[in-house]
Amino acid sequence: EAQVTQNPRYLITVTGKKLTVTCSQNMNHEYMSWYRQDPGLGLRQIYYSMNVEVTDKGDVPEGYKVSRKEKRNFPLILESPSPNQTSLYFCASSFSGTSVGGEKLFFGSGTQLSVL
Amino acid sequence: AQSVTQLGSHVSVSEGALVLLRCNYSSSVPPYLFWYVQYPNQGLQLLLKYTSAATLVKGINGFEAEFKKSETSFHLTKPSAHMSDAAEYFCAVSKTGTASKLTFGTGTRLQVTL
């Protein structure tokens, strides 16, 4: 089954404790992206990756890191989490990040992060 | 800069009634427009997309949207609401048509009552 898999589904942590949220897709997609969803703000893009070893900042990259060493995986790293990073996080992928015509995004089920 | 404004963070309709979710866009060039739906505890799914081929776009689950350039709008409609339509709906815009430049609206939560 074609899917984007995020882990964990729920995560509670404390300020300053490094964490990683994993994301994996099995569709051989070139493009992957991370979003955070906050009430009243919708989805905001954190980082995206056009292909292996190619990453770029989205609209709200501060406090986050990503890497794309393999095509299927795109982990989100919070080196020193803070309470303002408490949010619902989504990973998404599509066949191409540059194809004109509106590439369909496939989303994971989300990771609810709470930073105390 | 591109953006979308969704009017109404919450909309409630009765089962069988018309669903109308509003989206207005701002873009310096002809935009590509999308509606995504998020069911409880799930990720977003694409409902439909406008890419200039036709102004009336039909999507999944009986939804459709009409692109109106004069009103800079891309409202989502469904003639008859079903309980299973209860979800959050996001309008999104991309001036380049690429996934990497997609900007989402703040979302509208649709409630369907008996």
Side-chain angles (χ1 to χ4, degrees), chain A residues 48-90:
Chain A
Y48 63 94
S49 170
M50 292 294 199
N51 213 325
V52 177
E53 301 292 1
V54 181
T55 63
D56 209 345
K57 296 177 180 178
D59 299 317
V60 288
E62 295 78 20
Y64 304 95
K65 285 177 58 177
V66 292
S67 68
R68 188 92 181 273
K69 293 184 171 59
E70 305 165 287
K71 199 171 188 179
R72 63 182 294 126
N73 296 323
F74 190 45
L76 179 69
I77 303 158
L78 284 71
E79 295 267 1
S80 183
S82 62
N84 64 11
Q85 293 179 297
T86 292
S87 186
L88 179 58
Y89 291 85
F90 287 100

Side-chain angles (χ1 to χ4, degrees), chain B residues 67-90:
Chain B
F67 174 71
K68 292 187 176 180
K69 185 178 178 180
S70 61
E71 299 177 9
T72 62
S73 69
F74 190 57
H75 301 332
L76 182 70
T77 60
K78 182 175 181 178
S80 177
H82 192 272
M83 296 296 288
S84 60
D85 295 326
E88 188 153 21
Y89 293 80
F90 291 91

Side-chain angles (χ1 to χ4, degrees), chain A:
Chain A
E1 179 188 356
Q3 59 185 1
V4 178
T5 304
Q6 288 179 234
N7 280 298
R9 182 76 177 87
Y10 300 94
L11 181 57
I12 300 174
T13 190
V14 295
T15 300
K17 186 176 182 181
K18 180 180 179 179
L19 65 91
T20 299
V21 183
T22 63
C23 175
S24 179
Q25 49 91 8
N26 63 0
M27 296 168 279
N28 200 36
H29 283 172
E30 289 187 348
Y31 177 81
M32 297 186 75
S33 181
W34 277 102
Y35 294 88
R36 60 177 288 174
Q37 182 180 9
D38 301 289
L41 297 177
L43 274 81
R44 294 178 293 168
Q45 189 179 51
I46 303 170
Y47 271 94
Y48 63 94
S49 170
M50 292 294 199
N51 213 325
V52 177
E53 301 292 1
V54 181
T55 63
D56 209 345
K57 296 177 180 178
D59 299 317
V60 288
E62 295 78 20
Y64 304 95
K65 285 177 58 177
V66 292
S67 68
R68 188 92 181 273
K69 293 184 171 59
E70 305 165 287
K71 199 171 188 179
R72 63 182 294 126
N73 296 323
F74 190 45
L76 179 69
I77 303 158
L78 284 71
E79 295 267 1
S80 183
S82 62
N84 64 11
Q85 293 179 297
T86 292
S87 186
L88 179 58
Y89 291 85
F90 287 100
C91 181
S93 72
S94 72
F95 179 73
S96 167
T98 57
S99 176
V100 175
E103 284 295 335
K104 175 180 177 182
L105 277 172
F106 292 78
F107 282 81
S109 298
T111 295
Q112 180 64 58
L113 172 65
S114 295
V115 183
L116 306 177

Side-chain angles (χ1 to χ4, degrees), chain B residues 38-98:
Chain B
Q38 183 181 28
Y39 297 106
N41 299 312
Q42 295 184 28
L44 282 72
Q45 304 172 37
L46 182 65
L47 260 183
L48 50 81
K49 63 182 182 182
Y50 167 75
T51 57
S52 77
T55 56
L56 183 63
V57 181
K58 294 187 184 300
I60 60 173
N61 301 335
F63 284 93
E64 63 181 36
E66 186 172 9
F67 174 71
K68 292 187 176 180
K69 185 178 178 180
S70 61
E71 299 177 9
T72 62
S73 69
F74 190 57
H75 301 332
L76 182 70
T77 60
K78 182 175 181 178
S80 177
H82 192 272
M83 296 296 288
S84 60
D85 295 326
E88 188 153 21
Y89 293 80
F90 291 91
C91 183
V93 63
S94 171
K95 66 178 181 180
T96 60
T98 58

Side-chain angles (χ1 to χ4, degrees), chain B residues 10-52:
Chain B
H10 288 83
V11 170
S12 182
V13 300
S14 300
E15 192 173 34
L18 170 72
V19 176
L20 171 61
L21 304 182
R22 300 177 187 273
C23 173
N24 289 88
Y25 70 89
S26 171
S27 176
S28 57
V29 298
Y32 297 84
L33 293 158
F34 308 80
W35 276 100
Y36 278 82
V37 60
Q38 183 181 28
Y39 297 106
N41 299 312
Q42 295 184 28
L44 282 72
Q45 304 172 37
L46 182 65
L47 260 183
L48 50 81
K49 63 182 182 182
Y50 167 75
T51 57
S52 77

